[in-house]
Amino acid sequence: MKLLEGKTALVTGAARGIGKAIALKFAAEGASVAFTDLVIDENGLATEKELEALGVKAKGYASNAADFEDAHKVVEEVNRTFGRIDILVNNAGITRDGLMLRMSEQQWDTVINVNLKSAFNLIHAITPVMMKQKGGSIINMASVVGLSGNAGQANYSASKAGMIGLAKSVAREMGSRGIRANAIAPGFIITDMTAALSEEVRQEWAKQIPLRRGGTPEDVANVALFLASDLSSYVTGQVIPVCGGMNM
């Protein structure tokens, strides 16, 4: 039997990158998958087809996770269409980097809203569903900079540190209801976002990593699979770095 057979997952920001890798990993292990992105364009439609090709029910939803009402609406639609939601992955995220002295209020607010408020919105909406089911797994996508901070990323680091605190608080509140909440803290992962960096910057990053390489979206997806499955049934309120040893 596959690890997620009979379960339904909702993954935000999953039309590409780490979110897509997680969605595909879940589908390969038997989960039905609903995923969101701001718009379901060619990438989103392609992701939906790739998921369906794995023999599971899948659907992409155009949704703004940072909008409270939109988040509640998509949870209602997914629950109605799929009949249940066992796994939530709060993966939606952006960067708007800048030094503190030059960072605008808009840069701060945008990152906090998309990265952190979105997680609150989805958890707030999905909690009644999981309570009724008497169980569920919530996974927040944090970052190693949420643990260590990073110059030029005060907004991003704060949002990811918030994701960790949010997961721990939900774990304490909802553990008695069978609902687990954990966070994953990726390090330097090779995605479209990091591919835009210069080769010099990427090499400097690699020097800080004991394994001397960047990670892949699949590396993160493997940990997400563990946290989503019953293999981690006694794991909650934890942060798992996926960083090649960069954060020790």
Side-chain angles (χ1 to χ4, degrees):
M1 185 176 177
K2 295 181 178 179
L3 286 174
L4 301 181
E5 198 80 46
K7 296 182 183 291
T8 295
L10 172 57
V11 186
T12 66
R16 57 185 66 79
I18 291 174
K20 179 177 180 178
I22 291 172
L24 289 171
K25 180 68 68 173
F26 286 1
E29 286 296 334
S32 297
V33 179
F35 68 93
T36 72
D37 222 305
L38 269 177
V39 294
I40 299 300
D41 54 13
E42 298 86 10
N43 288 319
L45 293 174
T47 297
E48 189 175 288
K49 289 181 179 178
E50 288 181 58
L51 292 167
E52 290 175 337
L54 293 170
V56 301
K57 184 175 182 178
K59 184 173 176 58
Y61 294 83
S63 177
N64 180 6
D67 183 274
F68 187 81
E69 291 185 4
D70 219 16
H72 278 68
K73 180 180 177 181
V74 79
V75 167
E76 290 173 5
E77 290 183 2
V78 172
N79 192 41
R80 182 168 57 249
T81 300
F82 289 79
R84 60 185 301 113
I85 307 174
D86 304 279
I87 304 153
L88 169 65
V89 181
N90 287 309
N91 173 73
I94 60 169
T95 58
R96 294 290 187 271
D97 296 347
L99 295 174
M100 179 59 73
L101 286 173
R102 299 176 182 173
M103 184 174 290
S104 68
E105 182 182 15
Q106 183 180 16
Q107 284 176 298
W108 175 271
D109 288 346
T110 300
V111 170
I112 295 298
N113 284 338
V114 174
N115 295 7
L116 179 56
K117 184 173 183 287
S118 64
F120 162 74
N121 292 342
L122 269 297
I123 293 173
H124 189 276
I126 213 165
T127 295
V129 176
M130 290 185 169
M131 287 177 64
K132 186 176 181 180
Q133 295 170 179
K134 299 181 180 180
S137 175
I138 296 169
I139 303 168
N140 281 356
M141 198 57 59
S143 169
V144 291
V145 302
L147 296 168
S148 64
N150 195 35
Q153 286 193 310
N155 50 2
Y156 186 75
S157 299
S159 72
K160 294 304 185 178
M163 292 283 272
I164 292 169
L166 177 59
K168 287 179 175 290
S169 296
V170 171
R172 289 187 180 277
E173 284 188 26
M174 306 307 299
S176 62
R177 305 300 184 98
I179 300 171
R180 299 182 295 110
N182 294 284
I184 299 174
F188 186 75
I189 306 298
I190 301 169
T191 63
D192 290 342
M193 189 182 297
T194 56
L197 299 173
S198 68
E199 180 62 28
E200 182 180 1
V201 170
R202 291 199 295 270
Q203 288 179 359
E204 284 301 311
W205 268 99
K207 291 178 183 178
Q208 303 174 46
I209 303 170
L211 291 183
R212 293 295 189 271
R213 69 171 179 87
T216 67
E218 288 71 27
D219 290 325
V220 181
N222 286 333
V223 176
L225 174 62
F226 167 71
L227 292 175
S229 75
D230 292 339
L231 291 176
S232 60
S233 61
Y234 200 54
V235 178
T236 194
Q238 303 305 306
V239 185
I240 302 180
V242 183
C243 62
M246 185 171 68
N247 185 79
M248 293 189 186

